[in-house]
Amino acid sequence: MGNVISYSGIATKTRAMQAKLLKNEDFDHIAGLRSVPEIIEYLKGKPAYAEYMNRMDTSLYHRGNVEKVLSQSLFDDYTRIFRFAGMEQKKFLKIYWKRYEIDVINYCLRIVFNHYEVPFDLDYKKEFFDKYSQLSIDRLITSRNIDELVDNLNGTEYYEPLRKLRDSEKKTLFDYDLALEMYYFSSMWRKQRRLLKGKELELYTRDCGTKIDLLNIQWIYRAKKYYHMLSPDIYSMTIPIHYHLSLEEFKALVEAPNVEEFLRQLENTRYAKKYDFGQGKTLEKIYKDCLHRLYQADRRKNPYSIAAIYTYLFLKEEEIDKLTTALECIRYGLSRGETLEYLGGVTQ
């Protein structure tokens, strides 16, 4: 009964917000559009985006600005949920926000590491980061090199893992990305045990553990198919946490001599037996499909729980990813059929 009372407001709020999200037929229509202004005009007629698209001046009708507006709509949704949250729910939301912090740090890493001439473009996130984040946008945008960027993270939880990497011999962009990812998931895995209790701890442990397993599977596959990495190197780039993927299964995947053997070993795992890994889908698409089904099932079975929060945010993030992909497809002049393949994650 306690959960019903404490989550009734948020559950009602997120259901109403989800009702405004785009449907499959919307993406089918968007895939047939041929310009960014056409997408903007279409989204003006959709409740989830009308407010944001109508703010845009016609002189700003290009892909980069649309992506900024989409991000702002996500952060606005996060704010709406935060306002409805109780003290314990706010603690969870603050931990959830760390995924957006990781995105910002990764963006800054690419700017300074590759010596891009373009200036930092983070003003549109500043309002939200000033309110919810330990990161200072004002400090980060002054970074001219990797040393300054790491120093500008001093006072945050990300400083120490990146400082250690900076002071070591490994200094590639990939190493920094990996250090952040490993820190993030290891930290989330530890902190949730202190924050949550009972059914909510069970739900989050299952969801976080499943996500880690699926990410490890995806990373191992990519390491073998695209980079031809050796087993010791693959071990070093995976998250050192195993949930439904046993240690023996994990080792078999990492040490498979080629992609074909990796896929054969994958068929022996719980994930291949539970989820459809066939039909020509990419592993990235399978990963999202698995999480989509898992989160929807969580909320259906436990509507008055943290599942109401993270399921909605996942669906919103997924929708923005698809809209961003559609914009990119238009940029390259792809046909409707090609765009739908990218939106569906089907191999070509």
Side-chain angles (χ1 to χ4, degrees):
M1 184 65 180
N3 262 21
V4 173
I5 295 173
S6 60
Y7 276 95
S8 59
I10 281 183
T12 301
K13 182 68 174 176
T14 53
R15 279 198 298 269
M17 292 164 71
Q18 185 177 341
K20 296 179 180 180
L21 295 181
L22 302 179
K23 308 295 188 293
N24 287 336
E25 51 267 31
D26 290 313
F27 283 104
D28 187 68
H29 180 82
I30 288 170
L33 301 178
R34 299 270 51 90
S35 69
V36 171
E38 285 183 30
I39 290 185
I40 293 172
E41 291 303 318
Y42 185 76
L43 292 178
K44 282 182 178 180
K46 298 300 173 181
Y49 298 104
E51 174 188 351
Y52 309 100
M53 295 301 161
N54 281 309
R55 294 176 190 170
M56 294 185 69
D57 186 273
T58 53
S59 64
L60 301 176
Y61 276 19
H62 59 79
R63 182 179 58 90
N65 284 326
V66 177
E67 290 176 8
K68 292 177 191 177
V69 171
L70 293 175
S71 292
Q72 288 175 320
S73 76
L74 169 63
F75 294 152
D76 276 347
D77 283 357
Y78 178 95
T79 298
R80 290 189 179 96
I81 295 171
F82 198 89
R83 287 172 182 161
F84 269 78
M87 290 303 295
E88 292 304 310
Q89 297 152 5
K90 279 184 167 69
K91 289 179 183 177
F92 170 79
L93 281 164
K94 287 176 181 178
I95 291 179
Y96 191 95
W97 182 265
K98 295 181 190 300
R99 67 194 302 150
Y100 305 136
E101 292 179 334
I102 295 290
D103 287 343
V104 164
I105 297 172
N106 275 327
Y107 166 82
C108 293
L109 281 167
R110 277 156 178 74
I111 292 288
V112 301
F113 210 95
N114 294 314
H115 308 290
Y116 289 152
E117 294 295 330
V118 296
F120 287 90
D121 189 8
L122 290 172
D123 284 349
Y124 68 102
K125 293 186 178 183
K126 179 174 164 51
E127 174 190 351
F128 302 97
F129 273 73
D130 285 349
K131 186 182 298 184
Y132 299 113
S133 179
Q134 61 188 300
L135 302 183
S136 167
I137 296 293
D138 290 332
R139 289 181 65 188
L140 291 177
I141 62 175
T142 67
S143 306
R144 292 170 298 178
N145 52 56
I146 191 66
D147 289 331
E148 289 186 6
L149 177 58
V150 173
D151 287 341
N152 283 331
L153 289 168
N154 198 357
T156 75
E157 64 188 279
Y158 308 109
Y159 173 71
E160 195 57 30
L162 293 186
R163 182 195 66 78
K164 289 179 180 177
L165 180 60
R166 181 188 63 183
D167 296 342
S168 71
E169 293 182 1
K170 282 189 171 184
K171 294 185 178 180
T172 69
L173 179 58
F174 178 81
D175 290 320
Y176 280 101
D177 284 348
L178 185 58
L180 278 173
E181 289 291 330
M182 293 184 73
Y183 172 77
Y184 170 73
F185 283 106
S186 298
S187 174
M188 291 287 284
W189 186 256
R190 292 193 309 271
K191 289 180 178 180
Q192 46 113 353
R193 298 181 185 279
R194 298 198 301 268
L195 178 64
L196 303 173
K197 299 176 182 178
K199 187 65 176 179
E200 299 211 322
L201 176 58
E202 177 188 333
L203 276 173
Y204 194 73
T205 298
R206 184 181 66 175
D207 293 339
C208 189
T210 298
K211 188 170 187 177
I212 289 171
D213 279 349
L214 291 170
L215 277 173
N216 276 338
I217 289 172
Q218 187 180 143
W219 287 349
I220 296 167
Y221 173 79
R222 291 179 65 84
K224 289 184 176 295
K225 181 170 183 178
Y226 300 113
Y227 306 110
H228 309 293
M229 296 174 68
L230 299 176
S231 297
D233 296 321
I234 296 176
Y235 278 120
S236 70
M237 65 171 284
T238 54
I239 304 166
I241 294 168
H242 308 293
Y243 184 56
H244 284 315
L245 196 64
S246 71
L247 182 57
E248 292 73 20
E249 290 170 336
F250 178 77
K251 289 177 64 177
L253 294 174
V254 172
E255 297 177 11
N258 50 51
V259 172
E260 291 72 27
E261 181 59 25
F262 166 87
L263 294 173
R264 280 193 289 271
Q265 292 295 335
L266 185 59
E267 288 300 316
N268 297 325
T269 68
R270 173 192 179 102
Y271 293 103
K273 295 171 184 175
K274 187 173 182 179
Y275 300 110
D276 181 13
F277 276 56
Q279 298 182 350
K281 293 181 180 178
T282 63
L283 274 181
E284 291 85 352
K285 174 61 176 173
I286 291 168
Y287 165 73
K288 290 185 178 181
D289 284 350
C290 290
L291 292 182
H292 188 101
R293 290 174 54 186
L294 183 65
Y295 291 167
Q296 292 280 41
D298 281 349
R299 190 173 61 179
R300 186 168 58 252
K301 295 175 183 176
N302 303 276
Y304 300 104
S305 70
I306 57 168
I309 297 173
Y310 64 68
T311 299
Y312 175 76
L313 290 172
F314 171 80
L315 293 174
K316 179 73 172 188
E317 292 160 9
E318 186 180 49
E319 179 165 292
I320 289 175
D321 283 346
K322 290 177 73 173
L323 284 170
T324 302
T325 298
L327 287 164
E328 192 71 4
C329 289
I330 284 177
R331 176 190 178 192
Y332 287 103
L334 300 188
S335 68
R336 177 178 173 277
E338 290 171 322
T339 299
L340 286 174
E341 284 186 344
Y342 278 104
L343 295 179
V346 178
T347 55
Q348 299 181 49

